[in-house]
Amino acid sequence: MKLYTTVSELQAEINNCRINGLSVGFVPTMGALHDGHLSLINRAGKENEIVVISIFVNPTQFNDQNDLQKYPRDLDSDLGKLSQLKCDYVFAPTVEEVYPVPDTRQFDFGNLESVMEGRFRPGHFNGVAQVVSRLFDIIKPDRAYFGMKDFQQLTVIKELVRQLKYPVEIIPCEIVRESDGLAMSSRNMLLSEDHRKAAPLINRTLLKVNELKKSNSVKELKEFVVAEVEKNPLLKVEYFEIVDDTRLLPVNSWNEPTEKIGCIAVYAGKTRLIDNIKFENN
Ligand code: AMP
């Protein structure tokens, strides 16, 4: 495994691989790696000859400077975890290396960027698109791996690839959870002991929706989820939305012929957690 901090050195190495006809799988991350990230890297290792992972806390996707400052960073521990896996190149650049000049591009993802996360984190997906397109331009991967935990991000990335015609295959990966059901997240380490104990209620509640959907309207189910999670006073729901899984338009009736997903954001103290659940079509 080799660590690079500059674009030119990383590109020289990857160009060499490509000349030799090797396929390149890419996993973008913001570090503080956990088993969720590692599952993406393992999958990339099975499907590609070369695996590149980036560790970069991208300032342009943070609408809250306090959130950016307290975001966990631990490169040494990350490198220790990566050394146990098939991971060929780690790219851990500085902000100046990624953005030698400020990135002023404004993307238009329509509804995809204005609902849910986009509504509560204005500018977030524009920043995500900036960094992912910059990384795709540098690395030129054949395949890139994204977790379904950030479901809305995945739909935005697919749209980015469509708009800019990147020759990259986007591979969605299943959510990895702690044994109590809490979706793994770098932010979980910011939870106090009490908030950590409270947080699994989010997934436990989502696991009930497929059963409850049989006897409740969409509106009733949405109200149920918010009330159920907030039964614990340490949790505050920012939103729970039920949308179709491609355009993220609100679902009003179970009869609509779309694949449906329920997406939630919850504050546990000052830490913001997200999760989602697919609805079964029955
Ligand atoms: P992040 O470092 O939070 O930007 O995440 C990097 C990638 O890992 C994104 O594609 C995330 O969706 C994915 N990821 C984060 N947590 C999980 C998880 N618990 N299960 C699966 N993928 C995850």
Side-chain angles (χ1 to χ4, degrees):
M1 185 178 87
K2 289 189 193 164
L3 171 66
Y4 290 101
T5 55
T6 66
V7 170
S8 56
E9 284 170 310
L10 178 75
Q11 276 183 327
E13 185 79 47
I14 296 180
N15 284 344
N16 213 14
C17 296
R18 200 163 286 104
I19 289 166
N20 289 314
L22 302 177
S23 58
V24 177
F26 173 46
V27 182
T29 82
M30 298 205 295
L33 300 178
H34 50 67
D35 284 354
H37 297 115
L38 304 190
S39 74
L40 273 55
I41 297 164
N42 280 331
R43 176 139 181 218
K46 289 193 185 115
E47 299 177 356
N48 302 275
E49 284 146 317
I50 295 295
V51 175
V52 184
I53 155 170
S54 62
I55 296 180
F56 178 63
V57 182
N58 172 40
T60 74
Q61 73 188 67
F62 283 82
N63 54 316
D64 174 350
Q65 287 310 301
N66 188 35
D67 188 23
L68 171 62
Q69 262 160 29
K70 70 179 189 201
Y71 197 85
R73 295 163 170 89
D74 192 346
L75 185 59
D76 286 342
S77 146
D78 289 347
L79 294 175
K81 290 176 188 163
L82 292 172
S83 65
Q84 314 287 316
L85 307 178
K86 170 172 169 45
C87 171
D88 300 284
Y89 306 122
V90 182
F91 182 45
T94 60
V95 173
E96 293 70 32
E97 192 66 19
V98 176
Y99 301 115
V101 291
D103 193 336
T104 54
R105 288 175 298 166
Q106 282 294 329
F107 295 89
D108 181 2
F109 300 119
N111 183 63
L112 297 184
E113 66 178 338
S114 59
V115 297
M116 302 192 294
E117 290 301 283
R119 180 165 155 229
F120 290 98
R121 302 183 69 189
H124 169 64
F125 288 117
N126 201 65
V128 169
Q130 287 175 341
V131 75
V132 170
S133 77
R134 185 81 182 102
L135 292 168
F136 281 0
D137 288 337
I138 295 167
I139 293 161
K140 300 188 175 61
D142 297 291
R143 296 182 194 84
Y145 295 79
F146 292 87
M148 288 197 256
K149 183 175 89 76
D150 300 279
F151 188 82
Q152 188 171 4
Q153 169 171 284
L154 186 60
T155 63
V156 167
I157 300 294
K158 285 182 185 162
E159 179 60 16
L160 172 77
V161 165
R162 195 183 73 81
Q163 289 185 9
L164 300 187
K165 296 193 192 304
Y166 279 114
V168 54
E169 189 182 350
I170 301 301
I171 314 280
C173 300
E174 291 295 329
I175 303 176
V176 178
R177 298 181 180 281
E178 301 288 355
S179 55
D180 57 15
L182 177 63
M184 288 192 181
S185 165
S186 306
R187 288 192 160 90
N188 292 353
M189 65 174 77
L190 302 174
L191 294 168
S192 71
E193 202 176 318
D194 286 347
H195 288 109
R196 174 64 189 82
K197 273 190 201 143
L201 178 59
I202 302 167
N203 177 243
R204 271 207 311 281
T205 304
L206 294 184
L207 287 175
K208 293 180 182 166
V209 300
N210 274 302
E211 191 54 36
L212 287 167
K213 151 180 185 279
K214 295 173 188 161
S215 51
N216 286 276
S217 68
V218 172
K219 184 168 174 291
E220 285 165 346
L221 189 61
K222 282 167 70 171
E223 286 166 0
F224 167 82
V225 167
V226 175
E228 190 71 8
V229 172
E230 291 190 346
K231 271 188 186 163
N232 188 318
L234 295 178
L235 302 177
K236 178 92 192 91
V237 177
E238 188 166 55
Y239 67 79
F240 174 65
E241 298 289 349
I242 302 175
V243 295
D244 78 271
D245 75 346
T246 37
R247 298 170 63 202
L248 308 185
L249 292 171
V251 168
N252 296 307
S253 149
W254 301 123
N255 295 330
E256 291 172 24
T258 53
E259 296 292 325
K260 301 170 186 65
I261 182 157
C263 299
I264 195 166
V266 178
Y267 272 98
K270 290 196 169 127
T271 305
R272 191 170 178 280
L273 303 173
I274 59 171
D275 202 346
N276 61 71
I277 185 134
K278 272 189 193 160
F279 283 91
E280 289 155 14
N281 267 335
N282 53 20

